[in-house]
């Protein structure tokens, strides 16, 4: 695995696809154990979570699981704008449903906190969050995700759904911004 360059910035390999697949399998087993038979509704937060959600949803292998999609945006470039806008709404009735929010990464926690508050208004039976990545040191609001693939330091990463202004989502591995020497 080589370094990659986007917008003049160099990124180096950080988490390999095999490691990602291993954590996806582990999370899927935990979720299946907790939700099988409960008709859970996975709520994929677009855009970043779409690849993780597809892999996780398949790996869970539950007969009664459903998935739907919502779109939030709070990031521009490499810094959180702190201003979370709902772009695509949730049309399903979630009253009495068990919701599993699927996120790519929890950074400041602003997006997750906002989403949990919005969902709580609609009387679900339960709401938990599965995030592939979590930056605990960056968390400003709320609690972290209940299901976490990798805890990482506050560094900017991309690949496997994570982007830099829309680019690099299609990288099968995850890369981290290289320190300037
Ligand atoms: P938060 O609201 O600050 O927790 O940010 C959550 C969103 O910011 C994530 O769903 C990502 O879309 C984006 N984000 C946070 N950290 C990174 C990163 O390191 N690389 C790419 N996107 C990120
Ligand atoms: Mg996101």
């Amino acid at each position: 695995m080589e370094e990659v360059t986007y917008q003049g910035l160099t990124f180096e390999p950080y988490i390999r696809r095999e490691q990602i697949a291993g954590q996806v399998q582990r999370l899927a087993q935990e979720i299946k154990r907790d939700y099988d038979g409960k008709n859970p509704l996975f709520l994929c937060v677009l855009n970043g979570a779409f690849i993780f959600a597809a892999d996780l949803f398949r790996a869970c292998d539950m007969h009664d699981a459903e998935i739907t999609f919502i779109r939030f945006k709070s990031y521009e470039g490499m810094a959180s704008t702190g201003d979370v806008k709902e772009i695509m709404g949730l049309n399903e009735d979630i009253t009495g449903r068990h919701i599993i929010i699927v996120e790519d990464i929890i950074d400041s926690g602003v997006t997750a906190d906002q989403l949990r508050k919005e969902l709580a208004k609609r009387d679900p039976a339960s709401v938990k969050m599965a995030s592939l990545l979590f930056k605990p040191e960056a968390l400003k609001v709320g609690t972290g995700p209940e299901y976490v693939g990798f805890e990482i330091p506050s560094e900017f990463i991309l690949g496997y759904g994570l982007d830099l202004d829309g680019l690099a989502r299609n990288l099968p591995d995850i890369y981290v911004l290289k320190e300037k020497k």
Side-chain angles (χ1 to χ4, degrees):
M1 265 165 69
E2 294 295 317
E3 291 175 350
V4 293
T5 303
Y6 289 92
Q7 300 185 344
L9 299 165
T10 304
F11 294 81
E12 58 190 4
Y14 192 52
I15 307 175
R16 290 197 325 268
R17 65 196 77 182
E18 294 82 9
Q19 294 172 274
I20 298 170
Q23 289 303 307
V24 169
Q25 285 300 330
R26 179 184 62 80
L27 292 175
Q29 280 165 21
E30 287 178 22
I31 290 170
K32 181 170 179 164
R33 184 195 62 208
D34 296 347
Y35 288 93
D36 210 2
K38 292 185 176 172
N39 185 215
L41 179 63
F42 287 67
L43 189 62
C44 170
V45 184
L46 297 171
N47 294 335
F50 84 109
I51 290 179
F52 173 50
D55 285 347
L56 182 71
F57 191 62
R58 273 178 296 187
C60 282
D61 186 29
M62 279 185 273
H63 191 65
D64 63 348
E66 297 174 47
I67 187 164
T68 190
F69 302 86
I70 191 170
R71 185 168 177 189
F72 271 74
K73 197 170 186 243
S74 72
Y75 246 62
E76 267 168 32
M78 293 195 293
S80 183
T81 60
D83 176 24
V84 183
K85 300 184 187 79
E86 185 178 357
I87 297 171
M88 250 170 61
L90 177 64
N91 304 318
E92 277 83 353
D93 180 9
I94 63 161
T95 311
R97 297 294 303 269
H98 292 285
I99 307 297
I100 305 161
I101 301 169
V102 183
E103 263 286 20
D104 48 356
I105 188 163
I106 304 301
D107 186 34
S108 70
V110 171
T111 313
D113 192 58
Q114 179 113 347
L115 184 49
R116 284 190 200 255
K117 283 178 181 148
E118 283 301 315
L119 294 177
K121 292 179 195 163
R122 301 173 188 224
D123 292 321
S126 69
V127 177
K128 286 191 181 177
M129 180 173 304
S131 186
L132 180 67
L133 299 134
F134 177 37
K135 299 179 185 172
E137 292 159 13
L139 191 69
K140 292 198 193 95
V141 290
T143 49
E146 285 83 0
Y147 303 94
V148 179
F150 301 91
E151 286 197 2
I152 61 167
S154 295
E155 288 176 295
F156 188 78
I157 58 170
L158 46 70
Y160 195 74
L162 293 144
D163 71 308
L164 175 60
D165 287 337
L167 299 173
R169 294 195 198 275
N170 53 351
L171 294 173
D173 308 280
I174 293 174
Y175 292 73
V176 65
L177 183 64
K178 205 174 164 182
E179 298 269 326
K180 288 215 177 78
K181 299 250 161 61

